[in-house]
Amino acid sequence: MFGFLNPGVRDAADPIVSAKAAAGWLSELPSLDIVARQQLVLRAFDGMRQSRRPVDFARAQALQYTDAALGADRRQLFKQYVESLETAPKVSERIWQASLDLAQGFIGAYQNVLETALAPSAYPRWKSHVPILFARLVHYYGTDAKLRVCRHERWIPAKWVELHRTLLRASELGIERVPTSLGGGHGTGTQWTVEQEYVYVLLIHQLNSGNLSPANLDWAATQIRMWSRRLELVALPKTMEGFFVDLAGRSGLARRTGQDSGAMLRYLDTTALAEQLDITLAALRHSEETDQGPVGPINQQRAIILDKARAAIAPNLNTDMRRDPRTPCVVAARVRIGLTRIQQELSKPVSNPPAPDTVSNEQIEVYAVAGPVRTKAQVPEEADTLSHSLATFSDPLWQVKDRSVAGLRIYAGSGVGQSLTLGALVAVRQSDGSAWVLGVVRRLNKLSTDEVEAGVSIIAERLVPVTLHARREVKEGMGIVVNGFDASMLGPRIDGLYLPPPSRPDKPLVVKTVIVPTHEYAEGRKVILMTGRSIYTVALRQLVEQRADWSWVAISIIEKLPRG
């Protein structure tokens, strides 16, 4: 079963016994399948935990050697996770789980070694080895945190207690600010203290603002890791701004309110970090203005990322991230996620169809470019309650918590919304209104394994399901004319949504637009749109917004024929 292991290792199930044994064992692992290699490493950690061999300096060095040698693997795993997130979600899930298991495996292994090293009788001999063991342990708490923030998850209180106790123990030993680095040729050479690693974990959790994708988070976290090295935790604050953390508590950073005090509180002033962020942000914006080459869009995207990150880590929160005032509410709602599901929902026959002259399937011409016609909410009675609101819907799984002209904050429990992702297309119908509105998830917070909140930016208050067909070129004399229309021109069917102008309440668009599957979009492509009375040939024009599964594009009408 363990034929892949180095035959020279005395205990094949427990190869992490010395740096030499670990090097030989690592060289025999499969070189192409990184996920499989991580699984074998986890087996080795199990063997280490179950082995009767005592934990000694050689084992500690072997663990650090393995840690350093797998650094490239961890980076490659995360890269593969990001790249497969939208194209192959099942593969992405497997990679994410492998990365999380590996981080937790290292946490357990370092805890195992520290248990021996911190024994009163052994500590004098282990004293010089202990700082790096603590630093790497906290480092993997940071890896765990980053992976969970990628999925907008939050730590359970018990995990925070573990982290705080680790820093407290290092502080008791007076080693929290001792510089450490992984030795040997595999290390990066950068020295990190236990406190620096701990601060980085706190800041990673601050980035769980719900508006950063894993790729965005990865780049932002790399910058913040470099910039945070100058930060320190202090028992007495030097400013009224910044953050504090309760080392006896069950959560992470909190903003100062002026009422915070206590012997177990530590204060963090992020001014130096925010200043470095502002310098980089200014440089990116300057480059964006002057560089017209391929670097320009990259710098623009990075500037957007830093703008989002700044609000979470700046020492003072002097800007409201919401552009429009929001009104708190508790309203039951129906939510449909994804272009296909939305199209199907809106295509269902209605019990009271509108009059023929306003039938929705002809809205491509009926609506003029004018101000949006907002749906009037029903005025609630004094006796109106959440239970009454829920009773109006047969599937009361979602609630609207607050709303504004341009957005909604929606909530779901019982695990209903766990499939939501940033950039997802959603349709929402509130119980105190009759119309569906279309939006995009801009912010996502998974409050627990069962609860999720999402900030939805409204992109359309009127939307019509439409059936498009790819336009085929027909050879002369080969067509099939029915009621004046050549039916052989109809290619494969494309289900989409038509958004009559103006769409997007905050920055109205005055052009006609449609939303189609991304794989169907090509600029200039001609498609046929059929309504109740007309047959249009339209061209897909420039993108308004694009995601992996949907594209919002402008259209122009090329030809119109009456439908017989």
Side-chain angles (χ1 to χ4, degrees):
M1 180 177 178
F2 294 100
F4 55 83
L5 299 174
N6 189 327
V9 178
R10 185 179 303 172
D11 184 356
D14 181 22
I16 307 178
V17 293
S18 69
K20 182 178 180 181
W25 168 70
L26 287 167
S27 67
E28 296 295 327
L29 297 184
S31 59
L32 298 179
D33 190 342
I34 300 178
V35 173
R37 193 153 64 242
Q38 308 318 304
Q39 293 172 343
L40 297 178
V41 172
L42 292 176
R43 290 186 190 178
F45 286 154
D46 286 338
M48 173 181 168
R49 186 170 54 254
Q50 298 170 11
S51 175
R52 297 180 180 180
R53 188 189 300 268
V55 175
D56 53 15
F57 298 145
R59 186 183 284 282
Q61 290 170 351
L63 177 59
Q64 293 170 57
Y65 180 91
T66 304
D67 185 352
L70 293 177
D73 275 12
R74 294 192 297 273
R75 291 188 291 272
Q76 185 64 25
L77 270 178
F78 194 87
K79 180 182 178 183
Q80 291 180 359
Y81 162 67
V82 170
E83 291 174 347
S84 61
L85 197 57
E86 293 184 337
T87 58
K90 290 185 178 179
V91 173
S92 179
E93 170 68 23
R94 183 184 175 212
I95 295 172
W96 182 89
Q97 192 62 54
S99 300
L100 183 67
D101 290 344
L102 185 64
Q104 293 177 338
F106 270 108
I107 288 173
Y110 277 113
Q111 287 175 334
N112 188 23
V113 175
L114 275 169
E115 185 177 350
T116 296
L118 296 179
S121 59
Y123 183 69
R125 292 181 287 110
W126 280 85
K127 187 174 182 179
S128 61
H129 297 265
V130 168
I132 183 63
L133 298 175
F134 267 105
R136 296 310 294 173
L137 172 59
V138 178
H139 174 86
Y140 279 102
Y141 278 114
T143 302
D144 180 289
K146 180 179 174 181
L147 288 167
R148 294 188 186 279
V149 172
C150 280
R151 292 166 48 139
H152 314 289
E153 296 179 1
R154 300 181 184 277
W155 267 4
I156 60 173
K159 182 70 77 172
W160 282 113
V161 171
E162 280 184 30
L163 178 68
H164 297 332
R165 285 178 179 172
T166 302
L167 180 71
L168 283 172
R169 188 69 177 107
S171 300
E172 291 170 0
L173 297 171
I175 61 169
E176 75 276 19
R177 293 181 179 172
V178 175
T180 67
S181 65
L182 282 174
H186 296 278
T188 62
T190 304
Q191 293 189 324
W192 287 84
T193 68
V194 177
E195 183 182 81
Q196 287 171 336
E197 294 282 10
Y198 176 83
V199 168
Y200 175 68
V201 179
L202 298 178
L203 293 173
I204 281 292
H205 280 283
Q206 283 299 109
L207 293 180
N208 196 1
S209 55
N211 56 0
L212 292 174
S213 68
N216 296 162
L217 176 71
D218 188 33
W219 186 80
T222 301
Q223 312 313 307
I224 288 174
R225 183 163 174 81
M226 294 186 297
W227 300 337
S228 66
R229 289 171 56 81
R230 296 165 53 193
L231 304 185
E232 291 183 345
L233 292 170
V234 295
L236 297 175
K238 300 176 183 179
T239 174
M240 290 299 295
E241 297 178 335
F243 301 86
F244 72 92
V245 59
D246 184 358
L247 298 184
R250 300 159 65 86
S251 60
L253 287 178
R255 287 193 178 275
R256 295 204 59 198
T257 62
Q259 304 299 317
D260 39 82
S261 62
M264 298 302 290
L265 299 191
R266 296 295 181 269
Y267 299 89
L268 183 68
D269 182 5
T270 58
T271 300
L273 172 58
E275 288 174 350
Q276 185 60 54
L277 186 151
D278 287 339
I279 292 171
T280 305
L281 189 55
L284 288 171
R285 284 173 174 162
H286 176 72
S287 176
E288 180 186 338
E289 294 172 358
T290 58
D291 192 340
Q292 302 302 318
V295 178
I298 296 175
N299 287 339
Q300 182 182 22
Q301 180 62 27
R302 288 177 173 177
I304 293 172
I305 295 170
L306 291 185
D307 257 337
K308 294 177 179 178
R310 193 187 193 288
I313 61 176
N316 55 359
L317 189 60
N318 53 17
T319 57
D320 189 349
M321 295 177 68
R322 293 172 175 172
R323 291 172 294 182
D324 302 293
R326 295 201 173 188
T327 305
C329 61
V330 183
V331 177
R334 287 178 178 168
V335 174
R336 298 294 180 260
I337 303 170
L339 176 57
T340 301
R341 186 69 183 88
I342 295 169
Q343 220 271 353
Q344 291 173 350
E345 178 68 36
L346 270 64
S347 297
K348 293 178 180 178
V350 293
S351 55
N352 296 311
D357 59 335
T358 60
V359 68
S360 62
N361 60 11
E362 199 61 16
Q363 290 186 41
I364 189 168
E365 289 189 307
V366 168
Y367 281 113
V369 177
V373 181
R374 298 188 60 80
T375 303
K376 291 185 178 180
Q378 299 172 5
V379 178
E381 299 177 1
E382 291 185 3
D384 189 26
T385 62
L386 175 59
S387 59
H388 173 75
S389 176
L390 292 173
T392 63
F393 277 178
S394 60
D395 55 347
L397 301 175
W398 291 86
Q399 297 173 24
V400 175
K401 290 294 191 71
D402 62 41
R403 53 194 173 188
S404 71
V405 171
L408 304 168
R409 180 163 63 96
I410 59 176
Y411 164 87
S414 305
V416 174
Q418 295 301 310
S419 63
L420 265 185
T421 58
L422 278 180
L425 197 67
V426 295
V428 181
R429 182 185 171 194
Q430 301 171 69
S431 62
D432 59 355
S434 59
W436 290 89
V437 297
L438 187 67
V440 180
V441 176
R442 305 294 189 195
R443 188 180 305 278
L444 185 63
N445 287 310
K446 293 186 178 178
L447 307 178
S448 69
T449 55
D450 293 327
E451 299 176 294
V452 64
E453 272 190 356
V456 176
S457 173
I458 296 174
I459 64 171
E461 294 177 310
R462 295 171 292 172
L463 56 155
V464 184
V466 292
T467 299
L468 307 171
H469 290 272
R471 182 185 173 101
R472 287 176 175 162
E473 295 298 330
V474 180
K475 294 181 180 180
E476 188 175 353
M478 300 293 290
I480 304 174
V481 179
V482 180
N483 294 327
F485 174 72
D486 191 345
S488 61
M489 294 170 57
L490 295 178
R493 173 175 170 155
I494 305 169
D495 289 328
L497 298 172
Y498 170 64
L499 311 186
S503 55
R504 204 168 59 186
D506 53 342
K507 296 180 180 179
L509 291 175
V510 295
V511 296
K512 296 179 174 67
T513 58
V514 295
I515 294 179
V516 296
T518 291
H519 67 271
E520 299 286 3
Y521 170 72
E523 187 169 359
R525 184 184 187 187
K526 295 179 182 179
V527 296
I528 296 172
L529 190 160
M530 304 183 71
T531 69
R533 296 195 298 267
S534 305
I535 300 172
Y536 298 89
T537 298
V538 302
L540 304 181
R541 299 303 186 189
Q542 68 271 22
L543 286 166
V544 179
E545 183 171 352
Q546 185 175 58
R547 299 287 174 168
D549 54 342
W550 59 269
S551 293
W552 182 15
V553 303
I555 60 172
S556 61
I557 298 175
I558 297 174
E559 183 183 33
K560 174 188 174 183
L561 296 173
R563 189 166 183 175

